[in-house]
Amino acid sequence: MTVILVTGGAGFLGSHLCDRLVEGGDEVICVDNFFTGREENIAHLVEHPRFDLVRHDIVSPLFLEAEQVYNLACPASPVAYQFNSIKTIKTSTVGMVNMLGLAKKCQARILQASTSEVYGDPQVHPQTEDYWGHVNPLGPRSCYDEGKRVAESLCMNYHTVHGLEIRIVRIFNTYGPRMDPHDGRVISNFIRQALAGEPLTIYGDGQQTRSFCYVADLIDGLIRMMDGQETGPINLGNPAEVTIGEAAETIRRLTGSESEIVHVELPEDDPKRRCPDITRATSQLGWQPTTDLETGLARTVEAFRAAAGGQE
Ligand code: NAD
Ligand code: UDP
């Protein structure tokens, strides 16, 4: 049994990770300030003898014992991370220093949930880990992008200077059950809108692309990375690239919705193309996603329907 700290454990990815770790026999300490996390994501875990919840903001120092740290604390939706941009930067910088300090003190291995946003609006396609990116350092997304870039740098420097065991994964758009229907991300927006019979809001012409990974695949990649020998960075994502217009059509079909599709203004600095090169993940971790978009979306739609039904 390993004692594992999961920051951001009440969020979308964090709660699925807590589930998998508890199921695997580990002891999980979930730390969350509930900015975007939700109690309902972990309600089924709170009575479990190997699960502890600590309400804490990682921008303040934290002292507890753990053997592994998964640092997932940070809002991930553009709407959420731009809501309080300075807080977002503090979470990825001051919060990262605090978690690295904790890991150093406990001699724990620490995994940082980095992001495809470190590549910005990429000019190289698909994105390999050695691409340095194309980030606007002053734009509306910079609080997230630059914060995550500093976090990677902090990890690498703690590794070089203090010999800390670090793991850096760059996560590409991931979706699935327990996404907050109101978090503003594209899959959650489209499914919520389709089920409510509201128009699906495509930003811009819908020709921009993303590559969507199903949550169970991603969690498998995170655990392989933590338990493996590679420092990273390693891309984790599903290389099946689709346009946002195609994603809207697929969700409309899967929900049987008659919602119309409307086009609204494209947000500033919205990346035009995004697709991971996962050669490293495949060769170094033996990892690749196994859930195709149709299957993953169908499961997500069912979960959204069930959650909406429970609220009636
Ligand atoms: P999420 O918003 O659902 O979860 C983030 C969690 O962190 C929430 O529970 C939130 O309350 C918590 N949190 C935020 N700031 C905190 C702070 N200062 N102290 C303590 N807790 C704090 O987002 P998610 O999709 O689950 O993303 C989890 C991590 O993965 C994030 O670090 C995100 O940047 C990264 N990531 C996610 C994706 C994706 O597509 N889901 C893609 C790239 C990277
Ligand atoms: N998007 C959209 N409609 C929405 C929400 C998002 O067309 O209701 C677009 C957004 O402009 C971007 C893509 O979908 O091009 C993915 O957006 P999301 O916020 O999910 O994540 P991003 O990958 O941009 O961080």
Side-chain angles (χ1 to χ4, degrees):
M1 185 183 78
T2 309
V3 180
I4 304 177
L5 169 60
V6 179
T7 77
F12 161 51
L13 296 182
S15 63
H16 285 281
L17 177 62
C18 289
D19 277 348
R20 281 280 299 275
L21 296 173
V22 168
E23 275 164 26
D26 294 314
E27 184 171 327
V28 173
I29 307 167
C30 164
V31 167
D32 206 295
N33 70 350
F34 289 91
F35 173 48
T36 50
R38 297 185 296 164
E39 284 182 4
E40 65 202 71
N41 288 345
I42 49 162
H44 58 290
L45 285 172
V46 288
E47 298 296 329
H48 196 287
R50 282 185 282 98
F51 181 83
D52 281 319
L53 172 63
V54 180
R55 279 180 182 268
H56 177 83
D57 189 317
I58 64 160
V59 172
S60 297
L62 177 66
F63 301 101
L64 47 76
E65 298 291 324
E67 294 161 89
Q68 294 182 350
V69 180
Y70 286 87
N71 187 38
L72 272 60
C74 186
S77 141
V79 175
Y81 69 63
Q82 290 171 31
F83 174 76
N84 185 344
S85 53
I86 296 170
K87 180 61 191 260
T88 299
I89 299 176
K90 284 186 185 170
T91 296
S92 286
T93 55
V94 180
M96 185 82 248
V97 170
N98 287 334
M99 292 308 104
L100 287 164
L102 182 150
K104 178 169 167 260
K105 192 155 169 273
C106 306
Q107 295 186 307
R109 184 178 286 184
I110 180 166
L111 178 145
Q112 167 60 3
S114 190
T115 167
S116 53
E117 281 284 321
V118 300
Y119 304 123
D121 188 5
Q123 293 172 314
V124 165
H125 208 76
Q127 291 83 57
T128 53
E129 290 86 350
D130 50 17
Y131 175 49
W132 290 354
H134 181 232
V135 172
N136 177 353
L138 299 175
R141 298 175 85 104
S142 71
C143 59
Y144 184 72
D145 301 9
E146 297 291 19
K148 290 282 189 178
R149 286 166 69 100
V150 171
E152 286 197 11
S153 172
L154 281 165
C155 288
M156 205 45 89
N157 280 287
Y158 267 73
H159 174 62
T160 312
V161 176
H162 297 301
L164 194 67
E165 280 196 84
I166 61 148
R167 302 285 182 265
I168 298 173
V169 291
R170 294 182 178 154
I171 302 169
F172 285 63
N173 296 66
T174 301
Y175 69 97
R178 292 193 200 147
M179 290 187 93
D180 180 345
H182 296 280
D183 74 4
R185 289 187 259 195
V186 66
I187 298 293
S188 39
N189 266 6
F190 285 172
I191 295 179
R192 178 180 49 77
Q193 291 162 341
L195 293 180
E198 295 169 7
L200 272 60
T201 51
I202 291 185
Y203 301 164
D205 62 9
Q207 290 305 304
Q208 71 271 37
T209 69
R210 293 295 185 271
S211 306
F212 295 105
C213 184
Y214 187 63
V215 61
D217 287 331
L218 193 278
I219 300 301
D220 182 44
L222 291 183
I223 293 173
R224 278 177 194 242
M225 183 68 181
M226 178 64 100
D227 293 343
Q229 296 310 312
E230 306 300 330
T231 292
I234 287 190
N235 290 337
L236 290 181
N238 190 324
E241 186 182 0
V242 293
T243 68
I244 295 304
E246 287 164 348
E249 287 298 350
T250 306
I251 288 170
R252 210 160 58 141
R253 177 166 48 75
L254 288 172
T255 51
S257 170
E258 291 180 2
S259 291
E260 58 173 333
I261 288 182
V262 297
H263 291 263
V264 301
E265 200 181 338
L266 185 69
E268 192 182 336
D269 290 343
D270 199 284
K272 285 177 268 314
R273 288 187 77 183
R274 183 182 291 156
C275 181
D277 182 314
I278 60 163
T279 308
R280 249 191 221 184
T282 307
S283 63
Q284 297 184 352
L285 305 177
W287 178 86
Q288 60 181 26
T290 58
T291 313
D292 64 38
L293 188 60
E294 292 257 340
T295 309
L297 283 177
R299 286 184 200 153
T300 311
V301 167
E302 279 324 300
F304 271 55
R305 271 195 219 277
Q311 282 164 11
E312 278 165 10

